[in-house]
Amino acid sequence: MKLRLGSAALTGALVGALSLTGCGSDDNSGIPGALDFSLDDLHCGPDGTLLASGSSAQANAMEVWVNTYQTNCAGSQVNYKATGSGAGVQEFLQGNTAFAGSDTALDADEIEESRSVCRDGGRALNLPIVAGPVAIGYHLPGVDDLVLDPDTLARIFDSRITRWNDPAIHRLNPDARLPDAPITPFHRSDGSGTTENFTSYLRAAAPDSWPHEPDKAWAGRGGQAADGSSGLVGQVQQNEGAIAYFELSFAHRNEISTVRLDTGAERPVAATVENAAGAVDRARVVGRHGDLALEFDYTARAVDVYPIVLVTYEIACDRGNEPDSVGLIKAFLGYAASEEGQRALARIDYAPISDPIIDQVRRRIDAMA
Amino acid sequence: MDPANAGDGTRPGRDGTVRLGDRVFGGLAKGSGITLLLIMAAIAVFLTIRAVVAISRDEGNFLTTFEWDANSHPPVFGIAVLLFGTVVSSLIAIVLAMPVAVGIALFISHYAPRRLAAPIGYLVDLLAAVPSIVYGLWGALYLVPRLTGFYEWLDHLFGWTGILSYNGTPARSLMSVGILLAIMILPIITSVTREIFRQTPRAHQEAALALGATRWEVITTTVLPFGRSGIISATMLGLGRALGETMAVATVLSPSFLINASLLESGGGTFAQNIASQFKEATSMGRDALIASGLVLFVLTLLVNGAARLIIARRREYAGNAG
């Protein structure tokens, strides 16, 4: 009993410490300590310990899932280290972890590489399991509501629109009192899935104004850089005229105004969990041979679709997982993909995966061996 | 007994026997020395192997390319910007910190009343105990916003040079990094030089006083010449810390893979900062590229230390006579 108590405390401390050091990038924990994690109908797997690492964008979702799972299945431990997607995938492909969390789906080469860690001819699967809106936060006293379209957004972040009273911004916000002040766009200085998703959006929705290829590293011209989403938040708060992109929870917790996006729909869409879920509903599965890698329609025009979304995957073997831990992997991921698991997301500013896709995720998890 | 051989465990004692304690201690000391060499060699070998792999696949020029695109296919990366940023920010730090550190050290060793000297010494040493991430946060949240006015003034006076022009954007630049690094390396330079100044032979100082020297003349004729090699090695220690500083730079600097002619405007990067920023999301190729840049930093640090040794060796005669 004493032992179990100790290990639970240790896990708690680990998760806490890791979400703190979680590169400051995506530490959106707003999870109250006294939250009740107990659940009646959670299907527990066999006892054991699960090691996993990867994306820090899903760290808070993981924290809730891990806490809930461990509270209800006392013999199990899940250690998720938010090391960043690249490091997580690396560790998984070296066979050090049971599954990885990643902001980008494994590509064909990496799936091929996974055959060396997945036994019995198995290979790695991309399982989309968490999504979230990427908000555009800005700091402009006197302007509470700001509407931008993809084209203007791309030109601001590429340092081609440099002042707030630019005609292009004025046209979208005829009633706002835009100051004659410089715009300081901020981007991530560290490699980040958030950057990749944001620039994928700019590339797809405003190809004429955003000539750069989407990448985890920032490719735009000019502007300033800061480390992690929390670094961007700090700079936006500190500098009048700043604008930056980060996960919605950062904007909420720091009371930063976010841009409404003029996608061409009847009215501009706000960055909310509901509108992000609308975008996830319209996502298309592009993975082949049972893989569930997703592609978004960044040009969607609907009043309930906020198109800048980040989806993060769990990556595990379809066959040939470690025999000792496969039962636990299935039980834990099964819970995360379950209705309860997905419902827990909205409370912490993540969006659930849409029903037809999450159904497929559940089936893949059931079939894992 | 020749003190140079005192550590040799096989040397017989007065009665001709080799004592167990001598042998054990000698072995331990030797072992520690060899371990250090092995660790250094292991690091060098590891860095070199990974770096060679990365550099051989680099589609850019490793030394001159102004880009870091190591995760893409094909990888294109070069260290020019990082080398420039690392050297420039560290030089700014040294130029700012050294005179102040020597001043503090002289104040503590020769000017301050005894009651004041000890607390000031403690305070300076305390600066060295502050974790670098705390310096980084202080720098980013407090120092940088307050530098804007100073930079505007510099721009007003020296903006025509191009090096000190300033466009009013947040001052997260190599100059700000240099200023922060100067504060961070102040304690190490101060404490080393302070100890050296304290060791200036009494006889020298009293001789100077007897010849009618003022306190200032005593310092310029005895303390500073005696401490010169100490000042240099202290500065090199500080430079070593500045070159390798990671978190504080990553927090304060707004990096980019362009060299901005102005030191006051954002841009540039350093080796350690770039590794910290890129490592988390790097592919295996990207990781090897970062390790290759780490190797350059390793070599740079070795060169700096080697240079310091050379200078100290040349100055040794004076210090030797004094002793």
Side-chain angles (χ1 to χ4, degrees):
Chain A
M1 189 60 219
K2 195 180 162 202
L3 190 75
R4 180 177 295 169
L5 203 70
S7 61
L10 185 71
T11 319
L14 261 178
V15 169
L18 286 165
S19 53
L20 256 183
T21 54
C23 24
S25 63
D26 302 286
D27 174 17
N28 18 358
S29 64
I31 300 159
L35 214 65
D36 181 16
F37 289 113
S38 60
L39 211 65
D40 296 332
D41 50 352
L42 201 153
H43 171 70
C44 288
D47 289 0
T49 303
L50 216 51
L51 288 182
S53 65
S55 158
S56 46
Q58 55 172 274
N60 294 315
M62 266 299 165
E63 199 180 334
V64 169
W65 287 334
V66 166
N67 277 329
T68 310
Y69 190 84
Q70 288 183 166
T71 308
N72 294 284
C73 307
S76 306
Q77 258 191 52
V78 181
N79 289 335
Y80 181 83
K81 284 191 291 174
T83 50
S85 306
V89 168
Q90 204 69 26
E91 283 198 276
F92 173 74
L93 290 179
Q94 287 167 353
N96 297 335
T97 47
F99 66 91
S102 176
D103 299 344
T104 37
L106 293 192
D107 59 26
D109 289 348
E110 286 169 316
I111 289 179
E112 206 49 46
E113 201 183 332
S114 71
R115 290 188 187 278
S116 61
V117 285
C118 299
R119 275 159 280 209
D120 310 331
R123 65 194 177 94
L125 268 183
N126 293 304
L127 301 168
I129 212 152
V130 193
V134 177
I136 317 294
Y138 64 95
H139 182 178
L140 207 56
V143 181
D144 302 327
D145 183 31
L146 186 69
V147 176
L148 295 175
D149 61 12
D151 203 53
T152 315
L153 198 60
R155 279 156 66 203
I156 288 175
F157 275 94
D158 209 22
S159 300
R160 275 186 279 214
I161 292 178
T162 56
R163 300 197 77 80
W164 280 108
N165 58 354
D166 191 283
I169 304 177
H170 186 74
R171 191 173 45 80
L172 292 161
N173 302 275
D175 301 330
R177 290 176 48 192
L178 296 164
D180 178 18
I183 305 178
T184 313
F186 279 91
H187 56 262
R188 293 278 290 269
S189 61
D190 50 334
S192 156
T194 317
T195 301
E196 187 170 29
N197 280 274
F198 179 56
T199 50
S200 296
Y201 169 74
L202 294 179
R203 182 83 181 121
D208 296 334
S209 304
W210 189 259
H212 317 287
E213 282 305 311
D215 191 12
K216 286 181 174 172
W218 182 256
R221 288 190 317 157
Q224 290 228 345
D227 190 50
S229 290
S230 50
L232 292 182
V233 164
Q235 293 302 323
V236 169
Q237 287 174 320
Q238 197 169 307
N239 297 296
E240 269 183 31
I243 185 166
Y245 56 92
F246 29 72
E247 294 79 359
L248 179 64
S249 53
F250 284 89
H252 274 176
R253 259 188 305 148
N254 297 290
E255 293 172 4
I256 293 173
S257 325
T258 59
V259 165
R260 288 194 302 141
L261 215 54
D262 182 350
T263 56
E266 288 153 49
R267 53 178 188 275
V269 277
T272 62
V273 169
E274 296 75 32
N275 291 344
V280 178
D281 281 343
R282 287 164 174 77
R284 212 158 48 88
V285 173
V286 291
R288 285 185 302 176
H289 312 300
D291 190 77
L292 295 176
L294 294 186
E295 192 178 82
F296 288 103
D297 176 14
Y298 288 122
T299 51
R301 296 173 176 197
V303 287
D304 61 343
V305 173
Y306 181 82
I308 318 179
V309 277
L310 176 128
V311 67
T312 88
Y313 299 87
E314 307 308 333
I315 292 163
C317 296
D318 60 353
R319 270 189 317 237
N321 286 291
E322 192 79 40
D324 296 341
S325 55
V326 65
L328 186 53
I329 298 177
K330 288 174 71 170
F332 177 71
L333 292 182
Y335 158 65
S338 71
E339 248 168 73
E340 292 79 19
Q342 292 287 305
R343 204 183 301 140
L345 294 174
R347 280 188 312 207
I348 46 176
D349 286 327
Y350 289 105
I353 303 291
S354 61
D355 287 337
I357 296 170
I358 202 74
D359 272 344
Q360 296 189 56
V361 171
R362 288 174 197 147
R363 261 180 279 143
R364 296 290 179 285
I365 294 172
D366 278 342
M368 274 164 48
Chain B
M1 191 194 274
D2 178 2
N5 284 338
D8 187 345
T10 57
R11 196 176 174 84
R14 204 183 309 166
D15 51 0
T17 58
V18 179
R19 303 215 177 164
L20 182 65
D22 276 338
R23 202 175 282 189
V24 169
F25 186 73
L28 283 177
K30 223 185 269 176
S32 309
I34 292 171
T35 311
L36 177 75
L37 286 179
L38 285 180
I39 291 173
M40 289 295 282
I43 293 175
V45 167
F46 166 79
L47 288 178
T48 313
I49 291 175
R50 303 292 290 268
V52 166
V53 172
I55 295 171
S56 66
R57 289 195 206 151
D58 187 359
E59 294 286 313
N61 184 315
F62 183 63
L63 293 177
T64 57
T65 301
F66 279 40
E67 205 179 328
W68 197 272
D69 216 356
N71 295 324
S72 59
H73 304 283
V76 179
F77 55 92
I79 55 155
V81 173
L82 303 177
L83 186 64
F84 176 82
T86 306
V87 170
V88 166
S89 61
S90 301
L91 284 182
I92 294 173
I94 286 295
V95 167
L96 294 177
M98 199 186 61
V100 179
V102 169
I104 298 174
L106 279 178
F107 177 71
I108 293 173
S109 66
H110 285 81
Y111 282 90
R114 194 168 287 261
R115 245 191 301 158
L116 207 57
I120 290 179
Y122 282 134
L123 271 183
V124 173
D125 289 344
L126 202 62
L127 276 182
V130 177
S132 61
I133 182 68
V134 175
Y135 276 108
L137 290 173
W138 176 77
L141 299 176
Y142 185 88
L143 181 66
V144 166
R146 279 157 186 81
L147 284 173
T148 326
F150 174 56
Y151 286 0
E152 274 160 6
W153 178 73
L154 279 181
D155 177 62
H156 183 66
L157 290 180
F158 306 107
W160 52 271
T161 57
I163 301 173
L164 295 177
S165 65
Y166 180 57
N167 59 9
T169 51
R172 308 170 66 237
S173 58
L174 287 178
M175 178 63 91
S176 306
V177 168
I179 293 172
L180 186 68
L181 287 176
I183 300 170
M184 295 177 69
I185 63 177
L186 200 60
I188 190 161
I189 306 183
T190 305
S191 56
V192 173
T193 46
R194 181 184 68 201
E195 291 312 311
I196 301 282
F197 292 160
R198 277 212 184 116
Q199 287 166 17
T200 314
R202 261 252 102 81
H204 284 199
Q205 299 184 47
E206 280 168 4
L209 284 171
L211 290 171
T214 62
R215 192 181 277 181
W216 161 241
E217 284 163 343
V218 169
I219 286 170
T220 50
T221 55
T222 67
V223 178
L224 288 182
F226 176 81
R228 191 166 295 158
S229 67
I231 297 175
I232 292 167
S233 56
T235 307
M236 292 300 169
L237 276 177
L239 188 56
R241 174 158 191 202
L243 288 172
E245 180 48 47
T246 309
M247 282 322 291
V249 181
T251 318
V252 168
L253 186 67
S254 163
S256 70
F257 269 85
L258 288 171
I259 292 179
N260 195 331
S262 168
L263 298 177
L264 305 184
E265 292 167 11
S266 65
T270 75
F271 285 113
Q273 167 270 320
N274 187 53
I275 293 173
S277 298
Q278 310 287 336
F279 194 75
K280 285 174 294 194
E281 295 294 329
T283 60
S284 59
M285 177 64 217
R287 198 172 293 200
D288 286 351
L290 292 174
I291 288 170
S293 76
L295 179 68
V296 179
L297 180 60
F298 188 72
V299 172
L300 184 68
T301 315
L302 279 184
L303 286 179
V304 166
N305 280 328
R309 294 267 154 218
L310 268 181
I311 298 170
I312 293 165
R314 241 189 245 161
R315 299 279 176 193
R316 188 161 285 157
E317 293 106 55
Y318 184 89
N321 290 343

